[in-house]
Amino acid sequence: MITVLGRAYRFALVFLLIYLGIMAQQVGLVDYLSIPSNYAYMNGLLWEHIYLVAVSMAFATALGVAIGIVLTRRRFRKYTGVVMYVVGLGQTIPSLAVLALMMSLLGIGSKTAIFALFVYSVLPIARNTLAGISAVPPEMIEAAKGMGMPGWRILLDVEIPNAMQVMLTGFRVPDEDRGAFGRGHTHNTFGPVCRLSVRDTHFASGVQGTPPGAIAGTGKRARADFQEFNMF
Amino acid sequence: MDVWNFLVDNWDRSLYLTWEHIWIVGLSVLIATCIGVPLGIIITKHENLAKRVINAANVFMTIPSIALFGLMLPILSTFGQGLGKVPAVIALVLYSQLPIIRNTYVAIHNVSNPVVNAARGMGMTNWQRLKEVEIPIAVPVILAGLRTAAVMNIGIAAIAAYIGAGGLGVYIQQGIDRVYEAMILSGALLVSVFAILVDALMSLLESAITPKGIKIQRKMGK
């Protein structure tokens, strides 16, 4: 039964790949990708994307790890609930809303995108740092104390190395989704290509049966975006 | 203040968009629950499937939402549903799978062995054991998964305004286009309040539905 399922799964994967390939040809993706002059544009967007994610992650790591470490110190342990709630609120608020709210304060541009990404990444990093450090067995810390280590050396040599694996999971989780999303109006990352392909798809495949308003809307959007991007 | 005036002037449209948002998120969470919870239960009985299913759900989670909309568009447009509510709901269902399946799986997996064995010793059938013992014990964690999924879906549904799904994202999207700050802000505020409200309500529901025994156990643990 399981082997049959496994075979069906593999078959479905192959079928999906073929279907996607055909789709890519029909939709005009292959044509789009085979024009070399598009590469420079896409390359630029890729680097911008990497830049946004890297900068925001650097800030978020600094703050998140700091929060995690401070909250595991004995003196601050009682504030854990409050602080984590506030940090968690940042994650509850939808990303589009964070961008929109920040746009009126920070204006349009990479600053807003970086801020939104930052807000989103702090929670997983802080939470995992907290979880990782509090999961270090107390015997180990006792032993380190017995060896005469001062507090900061216990942190650097015992707690953090032991917590590393859990902490790293926290880094992996956050940014992928939002990166693409800091796109569009706030900054021209991969967003425009994506949006553009939405528009192109329409005209390329002559989609029928979708609400005409929506099509017109998307077309207009894409064009408006372009004007916007040219302005910046 | 502008925001307040905007909302007062457009209360009927705001109400409609909020309703649309609730509708999209509610429907998708409902469908996702109907798929995810049974799947999560099934994979606790077939361990070798568990990894594969959770990995597959993980893959969907990794794809950025805006990219997923773009990827689904050519595929769904063969059925004439490339834009609008259908792709939005499908995307939301796909995104909700990971938290729901994972939480269900972990929750049922972690029901302590002695409890399960006691149930078995009392002569319960597999089905009874699931219904009377495992699910009640697992329910708080499963609900936590639903809560994560619902809050996340509210955010993604706002993005779905870009593919014409409607909902409160429309205010943000149109506001940006018209450089109309009050519109952007009121959209953002409504979505945020909605998300925070749902989060709070689900956490209330979670504590209401947690069996008494587990609450006592938790207190003892502290």
Side-chain angles (χ1 to χ4, degrees):
Chain A
M1 156 70 173
I2 296 301
T3 49
V4 174
L5 266 181
R7 211 170 288 162
Y9 178 72
R10 241 166 270 162
F11 182 74
L13 273 186
V14 171
F15 180 75
L16 189 71
L17 273 180
I18 294 174
Y19 185 68
L20 284 179
I22 295 171
M23 232 48 223
Q25 171 60 35
Q26 274 184 355
V27 150
L29 184 67
V30 176
D31 291 339
Y32 185 79
L33 288 179
S34 50
I35 303 171
S37 59
N38 287 334
Y39 288 153
Y41 181 52
M42 290 204 305
N43 203 12
L45 294 180
L46 178 66
W47 278 108
E48 262 170 342
H49 204 116
I50 292 173
Y51 163 78
L52 284 184
V53 174
V55 173
S56 62
M57 279 298 277
F59 282 126
T61 308
L63 186 66
V65 171
I67 289 179
I69 289 173
V70 167
L71 288 180
T72 46
R73 299 308 97 191
R74 194 166 294 143
R75 215 177 333 152
F76 298 101
R77 213 164 281 173
K78 54 179 180 247
Y79 302 116
T80 306
V82 183
V83 174
M84 288 318 270
Y85 178 76
V86 172
V87 176
L89 212 57
Q91 194 119 29
T92 311
I93 298 174
S95 49
L96 191 62
V98 174
L99 284 177
L101 288 173
M102 279 302 121
M103 220 172 337
S104 52
L105 291 179
L106 295 175
I108 292 174
S110 52
K111 252 190 287 177
T112 312
I114 289 174
F115 184 82
L117 292 172
F118 164 76
V119 166
Y120 266 91
S121 322
V122 170
L123 178 71
I125 294 175
R127 193 166 45 195
N128 281 39
T129 311
L130 192 67
I133 294 184
S134 14
V136 175
E139 302 90 82
M140 259 184 198
I141 295 169
E142 287 289 308
K145 251 182 216 157
M147 287 163 75
M149 282 188 180
W152 62 271
R153 280 212 50 198
I154 297 182
L155 180 70
L156 282 185
D157 290 345
V158 181
E159 287 179 311
I160 290 184
N162 276 299
M164 213 46 178
Q165 202 187 2
V166 182
M167 280 163 71
L168 282 179
T169 324
F171 294 113
R172 214 188 56 179
V173 180
D175 256 5
E176 298 134 348
D177 183 43
R178 322 293 166 184
F181 178 52
R183 88 219 173 275
H185 299 289
T186 39
H187 201 78
N188 43 347
T189 49
F190 257 153
V193 166
C194 197
R195 191 83 65 65
L196 186 76
S197 63
V198 167
R199 198 256 321 248
D200 281 350
T201 315
H202 270 294
F203 299 120
S205 64
V207 185
Q208 272 152 24
T210 36
I215 295 180
T218 331
K220 216 163 55 196
R221 301 205 56 3
R223 241 170 296 134
D225 283 348
F226 259 84
Q227 281 151 15
E228 226 176 288
F229 290 128
N230 291 339
M231 273 160 58
F232 299 138
Chain B
M1 219 57 248
D2 285 347
V3 176
W4 178 249
N5 288 336
F6 179 85
L7 284 178
V8 170
D9 290 342
N10 295 290
W11 64 272
D12 48 345
R13 186 154 183 242
S14 309
L15 221 57
Y16 174 73
L17 288 178
T18 311
W19 167 243
E20 218 174 10
H21 210 102
I22 294 175
W23 190 83
I24 296 172
V25 173
L27 181 68
S28 59
V29 171
L30 195 73
I31 298 174
T33 313
C34 293
I35 303 171
V37 172
L39 206 59
I41 293 172
I42 289 170
I43 59 176
T44 50
K45 313 293 174 212
H46 301 272
E47 285 295 330
N48 42 3
L49 274 180
K51 218 173 190 180
R52 228 173 263 181
V53 170
I54 289 181
N55 273 345
N58 226 331
V59 168
F60 283 115
M61 199 66 160
T62 322
I63 303 174
S65 49
I66 196 81
L68 186 63
F69 290 137
L71 286 176
M72 282 194 314
L73 196 118
I75 298 173
L76 286 177
S77 56
T78 37
F79 310 108
Q81 297 288 356
L83 290 173
K85 290 196 172 55
V86 176
V89 171
I90 292 178
L92 293 186
V93 169
L94 288 178
Y95 279 123
S96 331
Q97 289 309 311
L98 180 68
I100 295 178
I101 293 178
R102 193 181 47 195
N103 276 35
T104 311
Y105 171 73
V106 169
I108 296 208
H109 204 76
N110 284 354
V111 173
S112 63
N113 248 346
V115 177
V116 177
N117 282 338
R120 209 174 272 156
M122 286 165 75
M124 286 186 178
T125 60
N126 279 348
W127 177 244
Q128 275 175 326
R129 212 168 60 226
L130 192 69
K131 208 181 77 183
E132 309 276 338
V133 179
E134 290 174 335
I135 290 184
I137 291 181
V139 131
V141 182
I142 296 178
L143 264 182
L146 284 181
R147 179 178 158 195
T148 317
V151 170
M152 195 180 62
N153 276 357
I154 291 172
I156 300 174
I159 300 172
Y162 283 95
I163 53 164
L168 287 166
V170 170
Y171 270 171
I172 300 176
Q173 178 219 337
Q174 293 187 357
I176 292 172
D177 276 5
R178 300 176 194 175
V179 201
Y180 186 5
E181 205 156 284
M183 197 176 189
I184 305 176
L185 284 180
S186 49
L189 279 178
L190 284 178
V191 176
S192 311
V193 169
F194 183 34
I196 294 170
L197 261 183
V198 167
D199 193 44
L201 281 180
M202 294 285 273
S203 83
L204 273 184
L205 185 69
E206 218 175 293
S207 62
I209 216 164
T210 307
K212 229 189 227 163
I214 293 183
K215 275 186 195 161
I216 293 171
Q217 206 179 17
R218 270 187 204 159
K219 257 186 205 156
M220 305 270 280
K222 275 181 188 167

